[in-house]
Amino acid sequence: MDVKFNYIAVEGPIGSGKTSLTNLLGKRLGKSVMLEAPDANPFLGKFYENKKRYALATQLNFLLHRVEQLVELTQMELFGKGAVADFLLDKDPLFAKLNLGDDEFALYRQIYHHVKPKTPVPDLVIYLQASPGMLIERVRSRGKSYEKQVTQEYLSAVFYEYQNFFHSYDVSPLLIVNSENL
């Protein structure tokens, strides 16, 4: 059986290894790589200092950047090279739900549904799991200044949201990988 994976999405909580695996797969498979680019989000550092104040701006910046990339992916599909991404747009509301108040979440959902493009469904989603303890250890070892404010409590909440999301995910084939010891 010859299975062709034209579009692969790698997902997992912060510190699970998404970007590393995405880069490796892109190189190995000769595919374009699409990365979230958190360093390019001007609100992310402020978000970790004051979540309530900067959650909506941070989330909308990520959403618009991801939508831009997926529109490019749709155009790339015409040429058949394919891509590996370290994000899945369908998962985007997970962070919004976790970080926004009810009114802001309602506004976010309206914007999400308005700007979400008709994008290809991944041929494969790889979900990387690691315990909250391992995630915080990896985040700390990266030494990014804006991540100094990340707490184990926050990563635990993110971990459980991911678990719940992927427990019922059935849009495309899903491969769950425990990245704890990788």
Side-chain angles (χ1 to χ4, degrees):
M1 181 167 111
D2 185 24
V3 178
K4 183 178 179 187
F5 296 112
N6 198 41
Y7 169 32
I8 300 170
V10 179
E11 262 299 350
I14 180 175
S16 63
K18 295 182 302 286
T19 303
S20 297
L21 181 58
T22 299
N23 283 319
L24 287 169
L25 285 173
K27 184 176 181 179
R28 173 76 181 209
L29 300 173
K31 300 198 177 298
S32 297
V33 172
M34 297 187 318
L35 302 175
E36 280 185 316
D39 295 339
N41 188 328
F43 303 102
L44 189 57
K46 296 173 186 173
F47 165 74
Y48 286 125
E49 292 172 9
N50 186 344
K51 286 185 178 111
K52 189 172 181 116
R53 166 84 171 83
Y54 291 101
L56 182 60
T58 303
Q59 193 62 44
L60 289 176
N61 186 280
F62 275 127
L63 173 63
L64 295 174
H65 179 70
R66 290 172 183 143
V67 165
E68 264 180 33
Q69 289 183 296
L70 290 172
V71 167
E72 289 175 23
L73 172 64
T74 303
Q75 294 170 353
M76 283 190 308
E77 276 206 329
L78 297 174
F79 303 104
K81 182 176 181 182
V84 182
D86 72 347
F87 63 89
L88 177 67
L89 188 63
D90 291 347
K91 181 247 18 178
D92 200 74
L94 177 149
F95 278 97
K97 179 182 168 200
L98 184 65
N99 293 307
L100 301 175
D102 292 340
D103 292 342
E104 286 183 335
F105 184 61
L107 174 62
Y108 165 84
R109 297 230 8 121
Q110 287 178 338
I111 294 168
Y112 175 83
H113 289 296
H114 183 71
V115 303
K116 183 180 177 189
K118 184 81 172 153
T119 58
V121 174
D123 299 304
L124 176 66
V125 173
I126 302 171
Y127 166 43
L128 299 178
Q129 291 180 319
S131 69
M134 178 58 71
L135 296 173
I136 195 73
E137 189 177 308
R138 289 178 181 166
V139 168
R140 294 283 181 253
S141 71
R142 292 196 299 214
K144 292 184 179 183
S145 61
Y146 62 82
E147 291 179 342
K148 288 181 182 176
Q149 305 295 329
V150 177
T151 65
Q152 185 155 349
E153 293 76 25
Y154 178 72
L155 282 179
S156 291
V158 169
F159 170 84
Y160 289 111
E161 288 295 327
Y162 268 89
Q163 293 285 85
N164 291 334
F165 178 84
F166 283 109
H167 178 74
S168 61
Y169 181 81
D170 62 0
V171 177
S172 57
L174 176 66
L175 173 64
I176 300 173
V177 177
N178 185 323
S179 68
E180 189 88 13
N181 296 310
L182 300 179

